[in-house]
Amino acid sequence: MWFKVKLSCVRRFQAARSYNEFEQRRLLCYSIVVNKLFRLGVLGSGKGSNFAAIADAIDAGKMSAQVGVVLSDVESAGILAHAREREMASQFIPPGKFRTKLDEGAERAFVAALQEARVDLIVLAGFMRVLKGEFLRAFEGRIVNIHPSLLPSFPGLEAWKQALDHGVKVTGCTVHFVDAGVDAGPIIGQQAVPVLDNDTPESLHARIHAAEHELYPKCVAAIARGEISVAGRRVSWKKS
Ligand code: GRF
C-alpha cells in the first residue's frame, strides 16, 4: 500500500508539463515519498474556527499532517489564541501600511517564517489580505483557501450576504488553490448549503461556517495523502 502511494506520487511528478508544475510536484512528492509528516503553515486574521477544525482532525487521526506554524496579521486574532492553547508555534507579523494586502517587508517576513517552519502547504483560514508576487512565487501551487460561497459565484467579501441578496436557493463553501486572482484558483472541493426562506445573513453564515468545518479538513487531508492532482483548472481526487 505504502509502495503504491510512493509510485503514484513519482508518476505524477514525472508527468509535469512545466518547470513550475515540476517544482510544485517535487516538493509535494518529497514529503510523501520520504514519509515525512506533511507540514501545514496556517494564515488567518480572525476567529480561527477553520484552523481549529483542521487541528481537531489531526488530533482525531483523520489527517496525517502537523501544523508547522500559525501566522496572523492581527495581533488579537482568535486564531493565534487557538494556536497558543494547543502549544503550536505561532506569530503575529505586522502587515505594513496597506489595508488589503501585505507590504513588501511584511510579505518577506511571512515567506521567511513559513520557509523557516519548513511547511509543505499554506492553508489560508480567514486571512483577510490578498497575496501577491513574491509570496505566490515562493509557494506556487501550494496555497489553499476556503471561501464562503459556491465559486465562481459571489467572490469577495460577505459572500453569504451576496448570495442572500441575490436570492439564490443554494449556496455553500469552496476550497480552492490560490492564484493571482481573487477567489479564483482551481477548485478542490465544494459543499452545498440550502438558503432558507427565513434566513438572515447571520443564520446563513453560521450554516456555511459549519459546512466549512467539514469540507476544509477533508480537502487538506486529501492533499496531505498526495491524492490531489491538477490539470489546468481541473482538480482530480485519486484514491491511493
Ligand atoms: C470563513 O468563513 C472563510 O470562508 C473565510 O473566512 C472565514 C474564516 O472564519 N475565508 P474562521 O476564522 O475560520 O472562523
Side-chain angles (χ1 to χ4, degrees):
M1 150 74 182
W2 180 239
F3 176 71
K4 269 196 196 160
V5 175
K6 282 187 180 181
L7 199 64
S8 72
C9 272
V10 171
R11 284 199 185 124
R12 260 175 259 167
F13 171 36
Q14 287 170 336
R17 285 165 306 181
S18 67
Y19 178 73
N20 279 340
E21 209 176 323
F22 175 85
E23 189 58 13
Q24 167 201 342
R25 289 176 186 199
R26 187 183 68 75
L27 289 162
L28 280 173
C29 288
Y30 172 77
S31 63
I32 294 164
V33 171
V34 301
N35 203 2
K36 176 173 90 61
L37 209 47
F38 196 80
R39 285 171 72 80
L40 310 178
V42 184
L43 269 58
S45 311
K47 276 199 308 196
S49 66
N50 278 287
F51 161 61
I54 288 169
D56 286 346
I58 293 174
D59 289 348
K62 293 181 186 159
M63 191 189 300
S64 183
Q66 66 185 170
V67 175
V69 71
V70 176
L71 302 176
S72 183
D73 57 328
V74 177
E75 197 162 15
S76 59
I79 194 169
L80 290 177
H82 274 302
R84 283 192 296 269
E85 270 163 33
R86 291 168 189 264
E87 298 184 348
M88 290 170 175
S90 63
Q91 195 185 339
F92 157 65
I93 300 180
K97 56 182 183 283
F98 303 115
R99 220 168 43 84
T100 57
K101 62 176 187 175
L102 300 171
D103 76 10
E104 255 181 52
E107 190 174 71
R108 269 199 300 275
F110 271 83
V111 169
L114 291 162
Q115 285 171 340
E116 167 93 354
R118 291 171 289 106
V119 300
D120 299 296
L121 185 74
I122 316 297
V123 177
L124 304 184
F127 190 62
M128 296 307 287
R129 287 168 194 271
V130 180
L131 297 172
K132 305 262 175 196
E134 195 197 324
F135 195 111
L136 295 178
R137 276 192 294 278
F139 302 108
E140 191 173 350
R142 295 192 293 139
I143 312 172
V144 293
N145 182 43
I146 186 151
H147 182 77
S149 75
L150 294 176
L151 290 171
S153 291
F154 313 123
L157 295 175
E158 300 195 321
W160 60 91
K161 193 165 179 302
Q162 296 184 50
L164 199 58
D165 291 346
H166 195 87
V168 295
K169 301 296 183 198
V170 178
T171 183
C173 51
T174 302
V175 174
H176 62 95
F177 285 106
V178 172
D179 62 14
V182 175
D183 303 323
I187 291 171
I188 302 164
Q190 295 188 301
Q191 191 156 320
V193 173
V195 180
L196 307 179
D197 288 347
N198 58 355
D199 257 331
T200 61
E202 294 72 28
S203 65
L204 180 57
H205 190 198
R207 285 206 312 290
I208 294 173
H209 235 134
E212 290 181 345
H213 301 159
E214 290 174 17
L215 180 68
Y216 216 0
K218 276 188 209 155
C219 293
V220 174
I223 296 172
R225 287 194 300 269
E227 291 176 3
I228 299 293
S229 58
V230 190
R233 281 209 56 87
R234 300 192 65 180
V235 174
S236 25
W237 292 55
K238 296 204 176 74
K239 283 271 163 262
S240 49

PDB file of all heavy atoms in Angstrom, residues 44-72:
ATOM      1  N   GLY A  44      -4.274  33.272   9.242  1.00  0.00           N
ATOM      2  CA  GLY A  44      -5.638  33.737   9.494  1.00  0.00           C
ATOM      3  C   GLY A  44      -5.635  35.100  10.149  1.00  0.00           C
ATOM      4  O   GLY A  44      -4.652  35.511  10.775  1.00  0.00           O
ATOM      5  N   SER A  45      -6.774  35.794   9.996  1.00  0.00           N
ATOM      6  CA  SER A  45      -6.899  37.127  10.587  1.00  0.00           C
ATOM      7  C   SER A  45      -8.000  37.184  11.639  1.00  0.00           C
ATOM      8  O   SER A  45      -8.184  38.226  12.274  1.00  0.00           O
ATOM      9  CB  SER A  45      -7.256  38.150   9.500  1.00  0.00           C
ATOM     10  OG  SER A  45      -6.417  38.037   8.390  1.00  0.00           O
ATOM     11  N   GLY A  46      -8.769  36.088  11.777  1.00  0.00           N
ATOM     12  CA  GLY A  46      -9.964  36.187  12.625  1.00  0.00           C
ATOM     13  C   GLY A  46     -10.050  35.109  13.682  1.00  0.00           C
ATOM     14  O   GLY A  46      -9.049  34.721  14.276  1.00  0.00           O
ATOM     15  N   LYS A  47     -11.290  34.622  13.859  1.00  0.00           N
ATOM     16  CA  LYS A  47     -11.606  33.669  14.928  1.00  0.00           C
ATOM     17  C   LYS A  47     -10.768  32.402  14.910  1.00  0.00           C
ATOM     18  O   LYS A  47     -10.420  31.858  15.941  1.00  0.00           O
ATOM     19  CB  LYS A  47     -13.066  33.211  14.759  1.00  0.00           C
ATOM     20  CG  LYS A  47     -14.089  34.132  15.353  1.00  0.00           C
ATOM     21  CD  LYS A  47     -15.424  33.410  15.556  1.00  0.00           C
ATOM     22  CE  LYS A  47     -15.893  32.717  14.275  1.00  0.00           C
ATOM     23  NZ  LYS A  47     -17.280  32.320  14.242  1.00  0.00           N
ATOM     24  N   GLY A  48     -10.558  31.870  13.712  1.00  0.00           N
ATOM     25  CA  GLY A  48      -9.751  30.654  13.607  1.00  0.00           C
ATOM     26  C   GLY A  48     -10.552  29.375  13.781  1.00  0.00           C
ATOM     27  O   GLY A  48      -9.986  28.338  14.125  1.00  0.00           O
ATOM     28  N   SER A  49     -11.868  29.407  13.499  1.00  0.00           N
ATOM     29  CA  SER A  49     -12.642  28.175  13.694  1.00  0.00           C
ATOM     30  C   SER A  49     -12.276  27.128  12.636  1.00  0.00           C
ATOM     31  O   SER A  49     -12.321  25.925  12.927  1.00  0.00           O
ATOM     32  CB  SER A  49     -14.148  28.467  13.685  1.00  0.00           C
ATOM     33  OG  SER A  49     -14.548  28.906  12.415  1.00  0.00           O
ATOM     34  N   ASN A  50     -11.908  27.555  11.437  1.00  0.00           N
ATOM     35  CA  ASN A  50     -11.476  26.571  10.431  1.00  0.00           C
ATOM     36  C   ASN A  50     -10.139  25.950  10.812  1.00  0.00           C
ATOM     37  O   ASN A  50      -9.919  24.751  10.626  1.00  0.00           O
ATOM     38  CB  ASN A  50     -11.381  27.221   9.044  1.00  0.00           C
ATOM     39  CG  ASN A  50     -12.733  27.292   8.382  1.00  0.00           C
ATOM     40  OD1 ASN A  50     -13.256  26.272   7.934  1.00  0.00           O
ATOM     41  ND2 ASN A  50     -13.322  28.479   8.361  1.00  0.00           N
ATOM     42  N   PHE A  51      -9.257  26.780  11.347  1.00  0.00           N
ATOM     43  CA  PHE A  51      -7.989  26.231  11.839  1.00  0.00           C
ATOM     44  C   PHE A  51      -8.257  25.201  12.942  1.00  0.00           C
ATOM     45  O   PHE A  51      -7.680  24.115  12.958  1.00  0.00           O
ATOM     46  CB  PHE A  51      -7.085  27.364  12.366  1.00  0.00           C
ATOM     47  CG  PHE A  51      -6.016  26.878  13.277  1.00  0.00           C
ATOM     48  CD1 PHE A  51      -5.063  25.979  12.827  1.00  0.00           C
ATOM     49  CD2 PHE A  51      -5.973  27.289  14.616  1.00  0.00           C
ATOM     50  CE1 PHE A  51      -4.071  25.499  13.678  1.00  0.00           C
ATOM     51  CE2 PHE A  51      -4.998  26.806  15.464  1.00  0.00           C
ATOM     52  CZ  PHE A  51      -4.041  25.908  15.000  1.00  0.00           C
ATOM     53  N   ALA A  52      -9.178  25.531  13.870  1.00  0.00           N
ATOM     54  CA  ALA A  52      -9.489  24.611  14.959  1.00  0.00           C
ATOM     55  C   ALA A  52     -10.044  23.294  14.405  1.00  0.00           C
ATOM     56  O   ALA A  52      -9.698  22.212  14.891  1.00  0.00           O
ATOM     57  CB  ALA A  52     -10.486  25.252  15.927  1.00  0.00           C
ATOM     58  N   ALA A  53     -10.882  23.379  13.349  1.00  0.00           N
ATOM     59  CA  ALA A  53     -11.441  22.157  12.751  1.00  0.00           C
ATOM     60  C   ALA A  53     -10.323  21.295  12.158  1.00  0.00           C
ATOM     61  O   ALA A  53     -10.338  20.064  12.273  1.00  0.00           O
ATOM     62  CB  ALA A  53     -12.470  22.519  11.683  1.00  0.00           C
ATOM     63  N   ILE A  54      -9.336  21.944  11.529  1.00  0.00           N
ATOM     64  CA  ILE A  54      -8.207  21.198  10.952  1.00  0.00           C
ATOM     65  C   ILE A  54      -7.355  20.579  12.062  1.00  0.00           C
ATOM     66  O   ILE A  54      -6.977  19.409  12.007  1.00  0.00           O
ATOM     67  CB  ILE A  54      -7.381  22.121  10.026  1.00  0.00           C
ATOM     68  CG1 ILE A  54      -8.183  22.390   8.751  1.00  0.00           C
ATOM     69  CG2 ILE A  54      -6.013  21.534   9.701  1.00  0.00           C
ATOM     70  CD1 ILE A  54      -7.631  23.478   7.851  1.00  0.00           C
ATOM     71  N   ALA A  55      -7.084  21.370  13.104  1.00  0.00           N
ATOM     72  CA  ALA A  55      -6.281  20.855  14.225  1.00  0.00           C
ATOM     73  C   ALA A  55      -7.017  19.690  14.914  1.00  0.00           C
ATOM     74  O   ALA A  55      -6.391  18.692  15.306  1.00  0.00           O
ATOM     75  CB  ALA A  55      -5.985  21.977  15.220  1.00  0.00           C
ATOM     76  N   ASP A  56      -8.345  19.790  15.035  1.00  0.00           N
ATOM     77  CA  ASP A  56      -9.126  18.688  15.626  1.00  0.00           C
ATOM     78  C   ASP A  56      -9.028  17.424  14.770  1.00  0.00           C
ATOM     79  O   ASP A  56      -8.926  16.315  15.294  1.00  0.00           O
ATOM     80  CB  ASP A  56     -10.608  19.076  15.758  1.00  0.00           C
ATOM     81  CG  ASP A  56     -10.848  20.072  16.893  1.00  0.00           C
ATOM     82  OD1 ASP A  56      -9.932  20.259  17.735  1.00  0.00           O
ATOM     83  OD2 ASP A  56     -11.946  20.670  16.932  1.00  0.00           O
ATOM     84  N   ALA A  57      -9.073  17.617  13.434  1.00  0.00           N
ATOM     85  CA  ALA A  57      -8.984  16.451  12.538  1.00  0.00           C
ATOM     86  C   ALA A  57      -7.619  15.775  12.684  1.00  0.00           C
ATOM     87  O   ALA A  57      -7.514  14.544  12.651  1.00  0.00           O
ATOM     88  CB  ALA A  57      -9.218  16.881  11.090  1.00  0.00           C
ATOM     89  N   ILE A  58      -6.572  16.571  12.866  1.00  0.00           N
ATOM     90  CA  ILE A  58      -5.231  15.990  13.073  1.00  0.00           C
ATOM     91  C   ILE A  58      -5.229  15.210  14.389  1.00  0.00           C
ATOM     92  O   ILE A  58      -4.804  14.054  14.442  1.00  0.00           O
ATOM     93  CB  ILE A  58      -4.146  17.100  13.085  1.00  0.00           C
ATOM     94  CG1 ILE A  58      -4.033  17.735  11.699  1.00  0.00           C
ATOM     95  CG2 ILE A  58      -2.798  16.541  13.551  1.00  0.00           C
ATOM     96  CD1 ILE A  58      -3.107  18.946  11.618  1.00  0.00           C
ATOM     97  N   ASP A  59      -5.753  15.848  15.453  1.00  0.00           N
ATOM     98  CA  ASP A  59      -5.774  15.184  16.770  1.00  0.00           C
ATOM     99  C   ASP A  59      -6.579  13.888  16.724  1.00  0.00           C
ATOM    100  O   ASP A  59      -6.259  12.925  17.419  1.00  0.00           O
ATOM    101  CB  ASP A  59      -6.397  16.110  17.826  1.00  0.00           C
ATOM    102  CG  ASP A  59      -5.477  17.275  18.155  1.00  0.00           C
ATOM    103  OD1 ASP A  59      -4.293  17.225  17.746  1.00  0.00           O
ATOM    104  OD2 ASP A  59      -5.940  18.235  18.806  1.00  0.00           O
ATOM    105  N   ALA A  60      -7.647  13.884  15.920  1.00  0.00           N
ATOM    106  CA  ALA A  60      -8.511  12.692  15.856  1.00  0.00           C
ATOM    107  C   ALA A  60      -7.946  11.621  14.919  1.00  0.00           C
ATOM    108  O   ALA A  60      -8.562  10.585  14.707  1.00  0.00           O
ATOM    109  CB  ALA A  60      -9.901  13.109  15.379  1.00  0.00           C
ATOM    110  N   GLY A  61      -6.758  11.886  14.341  1.00  0.00           N
ATOM    111  CA  GLY A  61      -6.124  10.895  13.463  1.00  0.00           C
ATOM    112  C   GLY A  61      -6.770  10.843  12.083  1.00  0.00           C
ATOM    113  O   GLY A  61      -6.568   9.897  11.330  1.00  0.00           O
ATOM    114  N   LYS A  62      -7.569  11.898  11.735  1.00  0.00           N
ATOM    115  CA  LYS A  62      -8.226  11.884  10.414  1.00  0.00           C
ATOM    116  C   LYS A  62      -7.355  12.541   9.353  1.00  0.00           C
ATOM    117  O   LYS A  62      -7.706  12.558   8.179  1.00  0.00           O
ATOM    118  CB  LYS A  62      -9.555  12.642  10.488  1.00  0.00           C
ATOM    119  CG  LYS A  62     -10.586  11.940  11.353  1.00  0.00           C
ATOM    120  CD  LYS A  62     -11.871  12.744  11.349  1.00  0.00           C
ATOM    121  CE  LYS A  62     -12.873  12.161  12.324  1.00  0.00           C
ATOM    122  NZ  LYS A  62     -13.892  13.135  12.717  1.00  0.00           N
ATOM    123  N   MET A  63      -6.246  13.144   9.774  1.00  0.00           N
ATOM    124  CA  MET A  63      -5.381  13.832   8.815  1.00  0.00           C
ATOM    125  C   MET A  63      -3.936  13.566   9.208  1.00  0.00           C
ATOM    126  O   MET A  63      -3.537  13.839  10.343  1.00  0.00           O
ATOM    127  CB  MET A  63      -5.658  15.343   8.869  1.00  0.00           C
ATOM    128  CG  MET A  63      -5.021  16.104   7.741  1.00  0.00           C
ATOM    129  SD  MET A  63      -5.126  17.889   7.952  1.00  0.00           S
ATOM    130  CE  MET A  63      -6.862  18.181   8.023  1.00  0.00           C
ATOM    131  N   SER A  64      -3.167  13.045   8.242  1.00  0.00           N
ATOM    132  CA  SER A  64      -1.780  12.739   8.535  1.00  0.00           C
ATOM    133  C   SER A  64      -0.934  13.984   8.222  1.00  0.00           C
ATOM    134  O   SER A  64      -0.405  14.131   7.126  1.00  0.00           O
ATOM    135  CB  SER A  64      -1.370  11.549   7.683  1.00  0.00           C
ATOM    136  OG  SER A  64      -0.076  11.203   8.006  1.00  0.00           O
ATOM    137  N   ALA A  65      -0.879  14.886   9.174  1.00  0.00           N
ATOM    138  CA  ALA A  65      -0.181  16.164   8.967  1.00  0.00           C
ATOM    139  C   ALA A  65       0.135  16.763  10.328  1.00  0.00           C
ATOM    140  O   ALA A  65      -0.361  16.285  11.356  1.00  0.00           O
ATOM    141  CB  ALA A  65      -1.077  17.121   8.174  1.00  0.00           C
ATOM    142  N   GLN A  66       0.975  17.787  10.323  1.00  0.00           N
ATOM    143  CA  GLN A  66       1.197  18.540  11.552  1.00  0.00           C
ATOM    144  C   GLN A  66       1.234  20.029  11.219  1.00  0.00           C
ATOM    145  O   GLN A  66       1.541  20.403  10.086  1.00  0.00           O
ATOM    146  CB  GLN A  66       2.478  18.112  12.267  1.00  0.00           C
ATOM    147  CG  GLN A  66       3.734  18.428  11.521  1.00  0.00           C
ATOM    148  CD  GLN A  66       4.972  17.881  12.223  1.00  0.00           C
ATOM    149  OE1 GLN A  66       6.041  17.897  11.652  1.00  0.00           O
ATOM    150  NE2 GLN A  66       4.837  17.381  13.418  1.00  0.00           N
ATOM    151  N   VAL A  67       0.860  20.841  12.197  1.00  0.00           N
ATOM    152  CA  VAL A  67       0.882  22.284  11.970  1.00  0.00           C
ATOM    153  C   VAL A  67       2.298  22.775  12.270  1.00  0.00           C
ATOM    154  O   VAL A  67       2.796  22.611  13.386  1.00  0.00           O
ATOM    155  CB  VAL A  67      -0.160  22.989  12.865  1.00  0.00           C
ATOM    156  CG1 VAL A  67      -0.057  24.500  12.716  1.00  0.00           C
ATOM    157  CG2 VAL A  67      -1.568  22.513  12.499  1.00  0.00           C
ATOM    158  N   GLY A  68       2.962  23.350  11.241  1.00  0.00           N
ATOM    159  CA  GLY A  68       4.328  23.847  11.424  1.00  0.00           C
ATOM    160  C   GLY A  68       4.330  25.206  12.089  1.00  0.00           C
ATOM    161  O   GLY A  68       5.134  25.487  12.975  1.00  0.00           O
ATOM    162  N   VAL A  69       3.394  26.054  11.657  1.00  0.00           N
ATOM    163  CA  VAL A  69       3.316  27.398  12.251  1.00  0.00           C
ATOM    164  C   VAL A  69       1.955  28.029  11.906  1.00  0.00           C
ATOM    165  O   VAL A  69       1.358  27.706  10.884  1.00  0.00           O
ATOM    166  CB  VAL A  69       4.490  28.290  11.751  1.00  0.00           C
ATOM    167  CG1 VAL A  69       4.326  28.689  10.278  1.00  0.00           C
ATOM    168  CG2 VAL A  69       4.657  29.538  12.610  1.00  0.00           C
ATOM    169  N   VAL A  70       1.490  28.897  12.803  1.00  0.00           N
ATOM    170  CA  VAL A  70       0.268  29.678  12.562  1.00  0.00           C
ATOM    171  C   VAL A  70       0.684  31.146  12.568  1.00  0.00           C
ATOM    172  O   VAL A  70       1.328  31.609  13.518  1.00  0.00           O
ATOM    173  CB  VAL A  70      -0.777  29.419  13.670  1.00  0.00           C
ATOM    174  CG1 VAL A  70      -2.005  30.301  13.468  1.00  0.00           C
ATOM    175  CG2 VAL A  70      -1.182  27.949  13.686  1.00  0.00           C
ATOM    176  N   LEU A  71       0.323  31.869  11.499  1.00  0.00           N
ATOM    177  CA  LEU A  71       0.716  33.276  11.389  1.00  0.00           C
ATOM    178  C   LEU A  71      -0.529  34.146  11.244  1.00  0.00           C
ATOM    179  O   LEU A  71      -1.508  33.740  10.607  1.00  0.00           O
ATOM    180  CB  LEU A  71       1.601  33.482  10.155  1.00  0.00           C
ATOM    181  CG  LEU A  71       2.885  32.651  10.081  1.00  0.00           C
ATOM    182  CD1 LEU A  71       3.592  32.908   8.753  1.00  0.00           C
ATOM    183  CD2 LEU A  71       3.823  32.970  11.255  1.00  0.00           C
ATOM    184  N   SER A  72      -0.468  35.342  11.803  1.00  0.00           N
ATOM    185  CA  SER A  72      -1.576  36.268  11.641  1.00  0.00           C
ATOM    186  C   SER A  72      -1.064  37.690  11.443  1.00  0.00           C
ATOM    187  O   SER A  72      -0.003  38.068  11.952  1.00  0.00           O
ATOM    188  CB  SER A  72      -2.497  36.222  12.864  1.00  0.00           C
ATOM    189  OG  SER A  72      -3.600  37.078  12.647  1.00  0.00           O
TER     190      SER A  72
END
